[in-house]
Each structure stands twice: as structure tokens, then as C-alpha cells.
Amino acid sequence: MRKQQKTRTRKFLAFLAAVALLTLTGCGAASGNSAAEGAVSAQSADSRSSFGNEMAAQDISVTGETMGEAGSNAGLGDNGQIQAYQGERKLIRRVNMDLETKEFDQVISSLENEVSALGGYIESMNTYNGSSYTSHRETRYADMTVRVPQELLDGFLETVSGLSNVTRRSDNVEDVTLEYVDMESRRNALVTEQDRLLELLEQAQTVEDIITIESRLSEVRYEIESMESQLRTYDNLVDYSTVYLNISEVEIFTPTQEESIWERISGGFMDSLENIGKGFQEFFVGFLINLPYLLVAGIFAAAVIVIVLKCSKKQTVTREGTKKRGTEEKK
């Protein structure tokens, strides 16, 4: 009995020593609850309340996966953003371009090959091959969403400009460095909390303590997985820039520079002549296409005319016969 009591006493003293150690490191125990439950509550409260201080004290790195070391005086400003940091910034680049081409199929194929050669991929693509009710080839167009490595983006844009006539281009750069650093720091704080909870779980002796610790542990693990998923999404958007391409097939390129007065006059005159030629061409093509309908309509019209003439002739003969009989009766 004495040995069992001594053993229990030693275990209890060891457990109190562990709790005291956690208390000295900033966790603290809440009075009125069991020792393990108090350690869990104090640890959670400490993680939340001292988060800003940990952000200010610890070095923040976000180079590639993490950034470089932050200054020792980095802290939180009035608006909750990090005031000082060093290292590579997390920039998300998006480019939107409108393109014209006279060789639609060749340009599409060249773009696909170029994206594959750079190690990128086509996220989405929609192609419209023209309407069946028109003969204009410029109605074909395609919308492409392309993802290329960020360091190769400028070279890819130069290739696109060489393959087609660029009529519009817009660039957008989104800096997500602050969001990334903040999320990464919170993730690290949760990982630290998870390690402490696992240590407490090994020392827990009652079912109530185990249930309390495991409940909080599940919440922490869920938050860690959610933040890691968001960090991976940020990494993908940063590492692979997004390019939106709107490709149209045309017969004449749209001028990309302002024209002089004489260029406008000569260009407009030539366009008018070309439109007149296209008008005659479309009329001739439409006439040949609709020729069977015109023949059927002509035959129908001729038949109607023949019938009308016959009826009119018959009515005339009848009138003359009636008139002649009337005259004979009078005699």
C-alpha cells in the first residue's frame, strides 16, 4: 500500500511539475478546473492573446515557401498589418490581351506548343468556328486562360505579340505578401499549440481530460489544414501567372498606332472600294446560293400567269358569245 501511495504521489508530483513548467512558459492554469483542462484552456487563451506579441518578436520569412528574416522590431500597426519585413514579395500577376490574326488555326497551335514548352498549362479554352449562316471567316474566335511560370511570363508575352496583332493589353499585379505572412504565422502558432496539446494528451489520466484535449486538438488540426490549403493556393497563383487571351480571326488588322490625315483618307477610300467589291461578291454568291429557290418561284409564277391568261381568255370568249346571241335575238 505504501509503495502504491508513493508511486501515485510521484506521478502526481511529476504531473504538477509539468503543469508548473507550462505555467512558467506562458500557458498558465485556470483555478477551479482539473489540472489538464486548466492547462489546455490557458494554452489556448495564451495562443490567442499573445499572437500579436509572437508576430512582433519572431522572425518572419517568406522566401519561396517562407520569406527572409524580418527585422527585430517588426510588429503590428494600427490597421493590423505587418510594418516591416524582408525577402521576396508574393506577387500575383494577371494579364489580359485581345489579339487579331489572319491565320487562326496556326496561331492557336503555336500558342499551345509554346505553353507546353514553357512548362505551363491551359486552364480553359473555348473556340467558336463561325456561324453556318454567314461566309465571313473573321467570325471565328477563341478564349484561352493560360498559366505560365512567373519567371517566364515576359518571354511568353513577347512570343504572343510576335504571333498576332495585339489590340489591347492590361496588366494587374496583386501583392499578397501581408496576407501570406499573417496566415503563415498563425499556422506556425497553431502547430506549436498542437505540439503542446499532444504533450498534455500523453500526461492526461482522466477521461474528462482526454476528451477536452482531443476536442481542442481536432479544432487545431482542422485550422492548420485549412490554412495550409490557402497557402498552397497562394503559392500556385504566385508561381504560375495567369494570362487571358481573346483571339479573333480577321482579314485586316486594326491599326495599333494613331494614323495621319492622309493615311486615314487613303485607308478609308480603299476600305470603301473593298466594301463595294465585297458587296458585289456577296450579291453574286447569294444569287447562286438562292438560284434553286428563284427557279421554283419562277416556275410557280409562270404557271399562275398561264392560268390567269387562260381564265381571262375564256371569260372574253364567253362575253363575246353572249353579246352575239343578244344581237341575233334583237334581229
Side-chain angles (χ1 to χ4, degrees):
M1 293 294 292
R2 291 181 179 178
K3 292 182 179 181
Q4 292 180 353
Q5 290 179 353
K6 290 181 179 180
T7 302
R8 292 178 180 176
T9 302
R10 290 176 181 176
K11 289 182 178 180
F12 182 74
L13 291 175
F15 180 75
L16 290 179
V19 173
L21 180 61
L22 291 175
T23 302
L24 292 176
T25 58
C27 292
S31 60
N33 297 326
S34 63
E37 182 177 358
V40 173
S41 301
Q43 188 274 337
S44 301
D46 178 71
S47 298
R48 293 190 297 268
S49 62
S50 63
F51 172 70
N53 296 329
E54 290 178 5
M55 285 284 291
Q58 68 180 0
D59 293 336
I60 303 170
S61 58
V62 196
T63 304
E65 292 287 337
T66 59
M67 294 190 65
E69 182 177 358
S72 58
N73 294 326
L76 296 179
D78 295 336
N79 59 354
Q81 294 182 339
I82 299 174
Q83 294 178 337
Y85 56 86
Q86 296 176 355
E88 182 182 357
R89 305 183 70 87
K90 293 290 183 179
L91 304 177
I92 299 175
R93 294 189 61 184
R94 298 182 177 90
V95 181
N96 197 318
M97 303 178 70
D98 289 344
L99 313 176
E100 292 180 343
T101 179
K102 297 180 181 179
E103 301 174 347
F104 185 80
D105 296 327
Q106 182 178 348
V107 168
I108 295 295
S109 177
S110 299
L111 289 174
E112 292 176 346
N113 295 334
E114 182 67 17
V115 171
S116 178
L118 294 177
Y121 60 94
I122 298 177
E123 190 172 74
S124 65
M125 178 176 177
N126 297 312
T127 304
Y128 180 70
N129 290 321
S131 173
S132 59
Y133 296 98
T134 179
S135 60
H136 295 292
R137 296 178 63 248
E138 63 266 25
T139 54
R140 294 200 299 174
Y141 62 87
D143 297 328
M144 299 176 63
T145 302
V146 178
R147 303 292 303 281
V148 295
Q150 183 181 23
E151 63 275 9
L152 303 177
L153 176 62
D154 294 332
F156 175 74
L157 297 178
E158 292 179 1
T159 301
V160 172
S161 299
L163 290 174
S164 58
N165 181 46
V166 180
T167 59
R168 185 181 70 88
R169 170 177 168 176
S170 61
D171 296 68
N172 177 266
V173 179
E174 181 182 1
D175 190 348
V176 295
T177 307
L178 297 177
E179 293 86 345
Y180 193 96
V181 171
D182 179 67
M183 189 175 298
E184 191 176 48
S185 299
R186 284 187 289 163
R187 189 274 311 271
N188 294 338
L190 288 171
V191 170
T192 301
E193 181 179 355
Q194 177 182 246
D195 295 338
R196 294 174 180 174
L197 289 172
L198 290 174
E199 293 177 359
L200 290 174
L201 185 61
E202 293 179 355
Q203 300 173 4
Q205 295 182 351
T206 65
V207 176
E208 183 180 359
D209 293 343
I210 294 175
I211 293 176
T212 302
I213 295 174
E214 288 183 344
S215 176
R216 176 56 186 167
L217 189 60
S218 298
E219 295 176 359
V220 170
R221 285 174 174 171
Y222 175 79
E223 294 179 8
I224 291 175
E225 292 177 359
S226 177
M227 290 184 181
E228 289 180 345
S229 176
Q230 296 180 52
L231 290 174
R232 287 193 296 268
T233 300
Y234 275 138
D235 288 334
N236 180 264
L237 292 174
V238 170
D239 295 338
Y240 287 85
S241 299
T242 305
V243 183
Y244 304 98
L245 301 176
N246 304 308
I247 308 168
S248 301
E249 184 182 30
V250 297
E251 295 182 0
I252 300 176
F253 288 144
T254 301
T256 56
Q257 298 179 353
E258 186 177 357
E259 298 178 328
S260 63
I261 296 178
W262 292 110
E263 288 177 344
R264 293 174 58 187
I265 293 175
S266 60
F269 181 77
M270 296 302 298
D271 290 341
S272 298
L273 292 178
E274 185 175 357
N275 291 333
I276 293 174
K278 285 184 178 180
F280 282 113
Q281 180 182 358
E282 291 298 325
F283 174 78
F284 181 71
V285 171
F287 177 78
L288 293 179
I289 291 175
N290 296 301
L291 186 58
Y293 300 102
L294 295 176
L295 290 175
V296 173
I299 294 172
F300 179 77
V304 171
I305 292 172
V306 170
I307 294 173
V308 170
L309 290 176
K310 286 184 178 181
C311 292
S312 177
K313 185 177 181 181
K314 185 177 180 181
Q315 290 178 358
T316 302
V317 172
T318 303
R319 290 173 184 172
E320 290 180 354
T322 303
K323 185 177 180 180
K324 186 177 181 181
R325 286 195 298 269
T327 302
E328 291 177 352
E329 290 177 356
K330 289 180 180 180
K331 292 181 179 181

